[in-house]
Amino acid sequence: MTPTDIKWMGEAIDWAAGCSPIKESIPKVGAIIAIGDTAIGRGRRGTGREGDDKHAELDALGQVHEKTKLPDATLYTTLEPCTRAVRTKELECCTELILQHKIPRVFVGILDPNQGVTGKGLWRLQESGVEVALFPHDLAKKIHAQNTAFIRSQQTLGAVIISPQDGNTLKTYETRGKHTIRFKCLNPPGTNNYLLSFHQGLCWPQPGPFRRIKDGIWEIDAHFGITGDHTLYLVTATDLGQILIEYYRKIIGLNTQRRRNLKGKIADESVALLGGDYPGIQMNGLPKGFRSEASVTLMIAKKP
C-alpha cells in the first residue's frame, strides 16, 4: 500500500459523501479507478430512485473511455463489491464486472453488512486471482460514520408481512389448522429468526422452516390449534431468546417421546390427561430476548 493508494482511498470516501440515498437501506459508496497517479474513472452510488440505482463501481466503469487500460488499473471502493445473489441482473453485479474487465487489484473500504454479500464479494474476487486488500482502520472508521443508517438497517430483518393482512379471518379448519405466512425482507432470515404465535397470554414458537420464494420474499407455515384472535410476530432472538426456544423444543420432543412410549400400554383416555404435545408458553407479549421485526393480528374462525 503506497501513499498514492491512500490518496485514492480518501478521494473514494469524498465521492461517497456526495451520495443522497432516499432510504436507509441504500449505502453511500464511492469508487475510483486509477492507474498510478491518474484517475480514469470516478463513480458513486445512485439515490435509489427509479432510473438512478447504479452502483458506484458500475458508475466509475462508465467513465472509463479506454477499457483496454483496465487490466493495468486499481479499483478503490468504499464498500465490498456486491455478488450475484443480491442482484436481479446477475451479470451486472460488481464482482462480475471487475472480473469481466480484468481489473487485477482492488481496495475495499468495509465489508458489506448485507448478509447476502458479507465476505462473499471478497472471496469471489480472491478465488479468481484478484489482489484484494482493505482500507486502513482510520479510513474504514470514516466509512462506518458515513453509513451509520445503512449499517443499522442491515442489522435487522427489515421484514413486512404481506400475506395474510392484518385483521384477516382465516378458515384454518379447511387446511388442517395450518396457514402460510408470506413476508418480504431486506435481509434473509437467519438461525436467530422465528415466527411466534400469541393467543390469550400463551405463545407458540412455530417449527418452520423459512422458505425462499424469490429475491426478498419468504414464507413459513403457521399452525393454529385454537380459534379466536392470534397475533403473529416475526422476531429476532438474542442469546436469551434462543435459550427459550431451544428449551421449548426440548419439551416438545420429550412430550412426543413420552406419548410414543405409553401408546398401547395404557388407555388413550389416560394418555390424553398428559396434555397436548404443543403446550403454549405463558407470555403476555414479547419478553426480553426477542425483538419484533413485523407482526399481524388474525382471527382464526370456528368451523361452522
Side-chain angles (χ1 to χ4, degrees):
M1 187 179 300
T2 68
T4 301
D5 291 324
I6 298 296
K7 179 187 77 170
W8 293 128
M9 291 176 198
E11 184 164 330
I13 294 172
D14 291 341
W15 269 71
C19 293
S20 302
I22 60 172
K23 52 187 177 181
E24 290 186 348
S25 60
I26 298 173
K28 294 181 179 182
V29 187
I32 304 293
I33 301 173
I35 300 176
D37 291 322
T38 304
I40 60 175
R42 295 176 171 87
R44 61 169 57 97
R45 181 71 155 83
T47 62
R49 292 187 176 90
E50 186 70 28
D52 186 27
D53 200 29
K54 189 178 293 184
H55 284 201
E57 296 89 335
L58 179 59
D59 190 28
L61 283 167
Q63 307 301 315
V64 178
H65 300 297
E66 296 183 54
K67 300 294 193 293
T68 55
K69 292 184 177 181
L70 288 170
D72 297 317
T74 298
L75 168 67
Y76 306 86
T77 179
T78 60
L79 185 67
E80 179 180 9
C82 67
T83 58
R84 292 185 178 209
V86 296
R87 294 291 277 170
T88 303
K89 297 179 180 179
E90 293 185 356
L91 294 181
E92 288 187 6
C93 77
C94 297
T95 51
E96 297 306 317
L97 289 172
I98 291 167
L99 297 177
Q100 289 169 24
H101 290 290
K102 296 180 170 52
I103 298 174
R105 191 166 176 254
V106 176
F107 282 94
V108 174
I110 62 172
L111 295 180
D112 193 326
N114 184 320
Q115 297 173 34
V117 180
T118 307
K120 298 180 178 65
L122 265 69
W123 175 254
R124 173 68 177 138
L125 295 175
Q126 288 176 333
E127 72 174 357
S128 300
V130 176
E131 180 185 345
V132 184
L134 295 174
F135 283 25
H137 178 66
D138 60 329
L139 296 182
K141 285 174 63 178
K142 292 183 179 180
I143 300 169
H144 277 277
Q146 280 182 337
N147 285 283
T148 299
F150 169 68
I151 293 169
R152 182 177 59 243
S153 76
Q154 298 300 314
Q155 292 172 340
T156 67
L157 190 58
V160 176
I161 295 174
I162 55 179
S163 175
Q165 297 181 354
D166 196 59
N168 281 175
T169 296
L170 306 183
K171 299 178 180 179
T172 57
Y173 55 81
E174 296 177 346
T175 55
R176 297 185 177 182
K178 183 174 70 174
H179 193 89
T180 298
I181 310 301
R182 185 166 291 188
F183 61 97
K184 60 181 179 181
C185 54
L186 181 64
N187 296 305
T191 56
N192 62 337
N193 293 119
Y194 301 96
L195 179 68
L196 307 181
S197 174
F198 284 81
H199 173 75
Q200 295 183 352
L202 293 175
C203 170
W204 288 268
Q206 300 297 311
F210 292 107
R211 301 184 296 271
R212 180 177 177 272
I213 303 304
K214 57 182 180 180
D215 286 347
I217 305 294
W218 293 74
E219 67 180 23
I220 182 174
D221 291 332
H223 300 263
F224 303 94
I226 302 175
T227 59
D229 288 333
H230 287 254
T231 300
L232 299 181
Y233 288 95
L234 276 169
V235 301
T236 297
T238 65
D239 290 344
L240 179 62
Q242 294 273 46
I243 290 171
L244 179 59
I245 295 291
E246 290 170 7
Y247 178 73
Y248 177 77
R249 289 178 172 173
K250 180 179 179 180
I251 295 298
I252 297 303
L254 291 173
N255 282 352
T256 303
Q257 186 62 47
R258 181 174 54 178
R259 284 179 177 274
R260 187 180 297 120
N261 292 341
L262 293 174
K263 189 173 180 63
K265 297 180 180 179
I266 62 175
D268 290 342
E269 293 81 1
S270 298
V271 174
L273 294 175
L274 296 174
D277 285 342
Y278 300 94
I281 306 171
Q282 290 188 350
M283 287 187 199
N284 287 312
L286 287 177
K288 291 182 179 179
F290 296 104
R291 182 182 70 238
S292 176
E293 302 285 357
S295 64
V296 63
T297 298
L298 308 168
M299 170 62 72
I300 307 302
K302 293 181 179 179
K303 185 175 181 179

